[in-house]
Protein backbone atom coordinates (compact mmCIF):
# COMPACT_ATOMS: atom_id res chain seq x y z
CA UNK A 1 0.00 0.00 0.00
CA UNK A 2 1.38 3.41 -0.94
CA UNK A 3 1.60 6.46 1.31
CA UNK A 4 -1.37 8.91 1.40
CA UNK A 5 -1.39 11.45 -1.43
CA UNK A 6 -1.49 14.53 0.80
CA UNK A 7 -1.11 16.92 -2.13
CA UNK A 8 -4.49 15.72 -3.45
CA UNK A 9 -6.05 16.39 -0.03
CA UNK A 10 -4.79 19.98 0.19
CA UNK A 11 -5.70 20.75 -3.44
CA UNK A 12 -9.23 19.48 -2.81
CA UNK A 13 -9.43 21.40 0.49
CA UNK A 14 -8.47 24.69 -1.20
CA UNK A 15 -10.97 24.16 -4.03
CA UNK A 16 -13.91 22.67 -2.03
CA UNK A 17 -13.51 23.45 1.70
CA UNK A 18 -17.14 22.67 2.66
CA UNK A 19 -17.17 19.36 0.81
CA UNK A 20 -13.92 18.26 2.46
CA UNK A 21 -14.89 19.59 5.90
CA UNK A 22 -11.54 18.88 7.60
CA UNK A 23 -8.25 20.71 7.85
CA UNK A 24 -6.20 17.52 7.64
CA UNK A 25 -6.76 13.82 6.93
CA UNK A 26 -7.73 11.76 9.97
CA UNK A 27 -4.91 10.29 12.05
CA UNK A 28 -4.09 6.62 12.64
CA UNK A 29 -5.65 6.53 16.14
CA UNK A 30 -8.98 7.81 14.83
CA UNK A 31 -8.81 5.33 11.95
CA UNK A 32 -8.23 2.47 14.40
CA UNK A 33 -11.22 3.46 16.55
CA UNK A 34 -13.47 3.97 13.49
CA UNK A 35 -12.70 0.45 12.26
CA UNK A 36 -12.30 -1.29 15.65
CA UNK A 37 -15.61 -3.21 15.50
CA UNK A 38 -15.25 -4.46 11.95
CA UNK A 39 -13.94 -8.02 11.86
CA UNK A 40 -12.07 -9.30 8.80
CA UNK A 41 -14.90 -11.81 8.25
CA UNK A 42 -17.63 -9.14 8.58
CA UNK A 43 -18.65 -9.33 4.93
CA UNK A 44 -19.16 -6.37 2.61
CA UNK A 45 -18.16 -2.93 3.91
CA UNK A 46 -18.92 0.42 2.29
CA UNK A 47 -16.79 3.46 2.98
CA UNK A 48 -18.24 6.92 2.32
CA UNK A 49 -15.95 9.91 1.73
CA UNK A 50 -12.61 8.06 1.93
CA UNK A 51 -10.58 11.12 0.87
CA UNK A 52 -6.95 9.97 0.89
CA UNK A 53 -7.88 6.54 2.29
CA UNK A 54 -6.91 6.69 5.97
CA UNK A 55 -9.87 4.49 7.01
CA UNK A 56 -9.48 2.31 3.90
CA UNK A 57 -5.94 1.48 4.94
CA UNK A 58 -7.03 0.73 8.53
CA UNK A 59 -9.76 -1.64 7.30
CA UNK A 60 -7.30 -3.52 5.08
CA UNK A 61 -4.75 -3.62 7.91
CA UNK A 62 -7.38 -5.27 10.12
CA UNK A 63 -7.52 -8.02 7.52
CA UNK A 64 -10.70 -7.11 5.66
CA UNK A 65 -10.28 -8.57 2.15
CA UNK A 66 -9.98 -5.84 -0.50
CA UNK A 67 -12.75 -7.54 -2.52
CA UNK A 68 -15.20 -6.89 0.36
CA UNK A 69 -14.60 -3.14 0.38
CA UNK A 70 -16.24 -0.46 -1.80
CA UNK A 71 -15.36 3.24 -1.64
CA UNK A 72 -17.86 5.97 -2.54
CA UNK A 73 -16.14 9.32 -3.07
CA UNK A 74 -17.64 12.41 -4.73
CA UNK A 75 -14.51 14.49 -5.20
CA UNK A 76 -12.82 13.71 -8.53
CA UNK A 77 -9.35 14.69 -7.26
CA UNK A 78 -9.31 11.69 -4.90
CA UNK A 79 -10.39 9.01 -7.36
CA UNK A 80 -7.15 8.29 -9.27
CA UNK A 81 -4.95 8.47 -6.12
CA UNK A 82 -7.32 6.03 -4.33
CA UNK A 83 -7.29 3.64 -7.31
CA UNK A 84 -3.50 3.80 -7.41
CA UNK A 85 -3.07 3.29 -3.68
CA UNK A 86 -5.67 0.49 -3.37
CA UNK A 87 -5.69 -1.28 -6.76
CA UNK A 88 -7.80 -4.22 -5.49
CA UNK A 89 -10.55 -2.09 -3.89
CA UNK A 90 -13.62 -0.90 -5.84
CA UNK A 91 -13.53 2.92 -6.01
CA UNK A 92 -16.74 4.58 -7.22
CA UNK A 93 -17.06 8.28 -7.97
CA UNK A 94 -20.60 8.68 -6.64
CA UNK A 95 -22.64 10.96 -4.42
CA UNK A 96 -23.47 9.49 -1.00
CA UNK A 97 -26.77 11.44 -1.16
CA UNK A 98 -27.92 8.91 -3.81
CA UNK A 99 -27.05 5.76 -1.86
CA UNK A 100 -30.51 4.22 -1.99
CA UNK A 101 -30.34 4.28 -5.80
CA UNK A 102 -27.21 2.10 -5.77
CA UNK A 103 -28.82 -0.74 -3.82
CA UNK A 104 -29.02 -3.16 -6.75
CA UNK A 105 -25.41 -2.44 -7.75
CA UNK A 106 -23.84 -2.49 -4.27
CA UNK A 107 -25.90 -5.19 -2.57
CA UNK A 108 -26.36 -5.54 1.18
CA UNK A 109 -23.51 -4.33 3.39
CA UNK A 110 -22.39 -5.49 6.84
CA UNK A 111 -21.10 -2.04 7.83
CA UNK A 112 -20.69 1.52 6.60
CA UNK A 113 -17.69 3.62 7.61
CA UNK A 114 -18.32 7.30 6.96
CA UNK A 115 -15.85 10.16 6.81
CA UNK A 116 -18.53 12.50 5.45
CA UNK A 117 -18.58 16.04 6.90
CA UNK A 118 -22.13 15.87 8.34
CA UNK A 119 -21.66 19.07 10.33
CA UNK A 120 -21.30 20.99 7.02
CA UNK A 121 -24.47 19.48 5.54
CA UNK A 122 -28.13 20.52 5.89
CA UNK A 123 -30.16 18.21 8.14
CA UNK A 124 -32.21 16.98 5.14
CA UNK A 125 -29.04 15.83 3.42
CA UNK A 126 -27.73 14.07 6.56
CA UNK A 127 -31.12 12.37 6.90
CA UNK A 128 -31.11 11.25 3.23
CA UNK A 129 -27.59 9.82 3.51
CA UNK A 130 -28.24 7.94 6.75
CA UNK A 131 -31.60 6.65 5.50
CA UNK A 132 -30.01 5.56 2.20
CA UNK A 133 -27.17 3.93 4.13
CA UNK A 134 -29.55 1.88 6.27
CA UNK A 135 -31.43 0.75 3.15
CA UNK A 136 -28.14 -0.99 2.21
CA UNK A 137 -27.29 -2.37 5.67
CA UNK A 138 -28.14 -5.97 6.48
CA UNK A 139 -29.87 -6.79 9.82
CA UNK A 140 -27.42 -6.06 12.63
CA UNK A 141 -25.37 -3.78 10.38
CA UNK A 142 -23.86 -0.57 11.76
CA UNK A 143 -22.96 2.87 10.40
CA UNK A 144 -19.78 4.36 11.89
CA UNK A 145 -19.38 8.14 11.85
CA UNK A 146 -16.83 10.49 13.35
CA UNK A 147 -17.29 14.12 14.33
CA UNK A 148 -15.09 16.84 15.76
CA UNK A 149 -17.87 17.64 18.25
CA UNK A 150 -18.75 15.70 21.39
CA UNK A 151 -22.32 14.84 20.30
CA UNK A 152 -23.32 12.60 17.40
CA UNK A 153 -23.38 14.60 14.14
CA UNK A 154 -26.64 12.90 13.15
CA UNK A 155 -29.22 14.96 15.08
CA UNK A 156 -31.39 13.08 17.60
CA UNK A 157 -34.57 14.04 15.65
CA UNK A 158 -33.21 12.32 12.57
CA UNK A 159 -32.20 9.21 14.53
CA UNK A 160 -35.66 8.96 16.12
CA UNK A 161 -37.47 9.51 12.81
CA UNK A 162 -35.42 6.72 11.19
CA UNK A 163 -35.76 4.31 14.15
CA UNK A 164 -32.05 4.50 14.95
CA UNK A 165 -29.85 4.98 18.02
CA UNK A 166 -26.27 6.13 18.46
CA UNK A 167 -23.57 4.92 20.84
CA UNK A 168 -20.31 6.72 21.41
CA UNK A 169 -17.32 4.42 20.93
CA UNK A 170 -14.91 7.00 22.30
CA UNK A 171 -13.06 10.24 21.74
CA UNK A 172 -9.60 10.49 20.20
CA UNK A 173 -7.83 13.45 21.80
CA UNK A 174 -4.64 12.80 19.86
CA UNK A 175 -6.24 13.55 16.52
CA UNK A 176 -6.03 16.90 14.77
CA UNK A 177 -8.62 18.14 15.62
CA UNK A 178 -9.78 15.76 18.41
CA UNK A 179 -12.72 13.65 17.26
CA UNK A 180 -15.47 11.37 18.59
CA UNK A 181 -16.64 8.14 16.98
CA UNK A 182 -20.26 6.95 16.99
CA UNK A 183 -21.87 3.65 16.06
CA UNK A 184 -25.37 4.18 14.64
CA UNK A 185 -27.62 1.13 14.58
CA UNK A 186 -31.28 0.15 14.37
CA UNK A 187 -33.18 0.60 17.64
CA UNK A 188 -35.07 -2.69 17.33
CA UNK A 189 -32.02 -4.98 17.27
C1 LIG B 1 -13.63 15.11 6.21
S1 LIG B 1 -13.08 14.41 4.63
C2 LIG B 1 -12.70 12.79 5.28
C3 LIG B 1 -11.64 12.09 4.50
C4 LIG B 1 -11.10 10.81 5.18
N1 LIG B 1 -12.16 9.83 5.43
C5 LIG B 1 -10.43 11.15 6.49
O1 LIG B 1 -11.04 10.89 7.56
O2 LIG B 1 -9.31 11.67 6.45
C6 LIG B 1 -14.69 14.23 3.85
C7 LIG B 1 -14.70 13.39 2.56
O3 LIG B 1 -16.05 13.23 2.12
C8 LIG B 1 -16.14 13.45 0.72
N2 LIG B 1 -17.52 13.83 0.40
C9 LIG B 1 -18.15 14.98 0.76
N3 LIG B 1 -19.44 14.94 0.33
C10 LIG B 1 -19.61 13.73 -0.27
C11 LIG B 1 -20.73 13.09 -0.90
N4 LIG B 1 -21.93 13.70 -1.00
N5 LIG B 1 -20.57 11.83 -1.40
C12 LIG B 1 -19.36 11.19 -1.31
N6 LIG B 1 -18.26 11.76 -0.74
C13 LIG B 1 -18.39 13.01 -0.23
C14 LIG B 1 -15.10 14.55 0.49
O4 LIG B 1 -14.73 14.66 -0.87
C15 LIG B 1 -13.97 14.06 1.40
O5 LIG B 1 -13.17 13.11 0.75
Amino acid sequence: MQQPPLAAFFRALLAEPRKIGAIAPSGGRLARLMTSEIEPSAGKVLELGPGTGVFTRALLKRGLPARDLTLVELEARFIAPLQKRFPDVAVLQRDARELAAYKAELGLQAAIVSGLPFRNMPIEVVSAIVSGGFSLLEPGGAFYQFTYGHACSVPEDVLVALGLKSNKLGRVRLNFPPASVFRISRKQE
Side-chain angles (χ1 to χ4, degrees), residues 56-67:
T56 314
R57 180 167 181 271
L59 286 163
L60 297 176
K61 266 187 90 175
R62 284 184 65 74
L64 188 79
R67 65 173 179 277

Side-chain angles (χ1 to χ4, degrees), residues 45-90:
V45 175
L46 187 64
E47 185 183 345
L48 308 178
T52 59
V54 179
F55 301 157
T56 314
R57 180 167 181 271
L59 286 163
L60 297 176
K61 266 187 90 175
R62 284 184 65 74
L64 188 79
R67 65 173 179 277
D68 285 344
L69 186 54
T70 303
L71 314 183
V72 167
E73 171 58 60
L74 183 60
E75 171 55 50
R77 290 174 184 83
F78 290 131
I79 301 298
L82 284 168
Q83 287 167 333
K84 194 169 170 200
R85 192 175 177 208
F86 307 107
D88 299 324
V89 174

Side-chain angles (χ1 to χ4, degrees), residues 19-20 22 25-26 49-51 55 73-75 78 94-96 115-117:
K19 194 200 279 179
I20 305 306
S26 298
F55 301 157
E73 171 58 60
L74 183 60
E75 171 55 50
F78 290 131
R94 301 284 167 79
D95 189 335
L116 296 173

Side-chain angles (χ1 to χ4, degrees), residues 6-151:
L6 285 178
F9 181 89
F10 290 110
R11 274 198 296 273
L13 177 61
L14 284 174
E16 304 269 7
R18 281 190 70 77
K19 194 200 279 179
I20 305 306
I23 50 178
S26 298
R29 287 181 178 81
L30 178 56
R32 282 194 290 281
L33 184 57
M34 275 293 281
T35 58
S36 59
E37 293 194 335
I38 300 176
E39 299 302 329
S41 59
K44 287 164 74 166
V45 175
L46 187 64
E47 185 183 345
L48 308 178
T52 59
V54 179
F55 301 157
T56 314
R57 180 167 181 271
L59 286 163
L60 297 176
K61 266 187 90 175
R62 284 184 65 74
L64 188 79
R67 65 173 179 277
D68 285 344
L69 186 54
T70 303
L71 314 183
V72 167
E73 171 58 60
L74 183 60
E75 171 55 50
R77 290 174 184 83
F78 290 131
I79 301 298
L82 284 168
Q83 287 167 333
K84 194 169 170 200
R85 192 175 177 208
F86 307 107
D88 299 324
V89 174
V91 182
L92 307 180
Q93 188 186 1
R94 301 284 167 79
D95 189 335
R97 288 171 288 191
E98 312 290 333
L99 276 184
Y102 309 141
K103 196 169 175 180
E105 178 187 3
L106 296 174
L108 280 183
Q109 306 288 318
I112 295 179
V113 173
S114 164
L116 296 173
F118 277 171
R119 279 155 56 105
N120 288 357
M121 296 177 175
I123 190 169
E124 300 77 20
V125 172
V126 173
S127 177
I129 293 173
V130 175
S131 167
F134 272 87
S135 75
L136 299 180
L137 277 173
E138 56 192 37
F143 187 118
Y144 296 92
Q145 177 70 43
F146 82 91
T147 173
Y148 299 126
H150 287 269

Side-chain angles (χ1 to χ4, degrees), residues 14-15 42 49 86 114 161 167-168 174-175 179:
L14 284 174
F86 307 107
S114 164
N167 289 89
K168 193 174 190 168
L174 292 176
N175 190 68

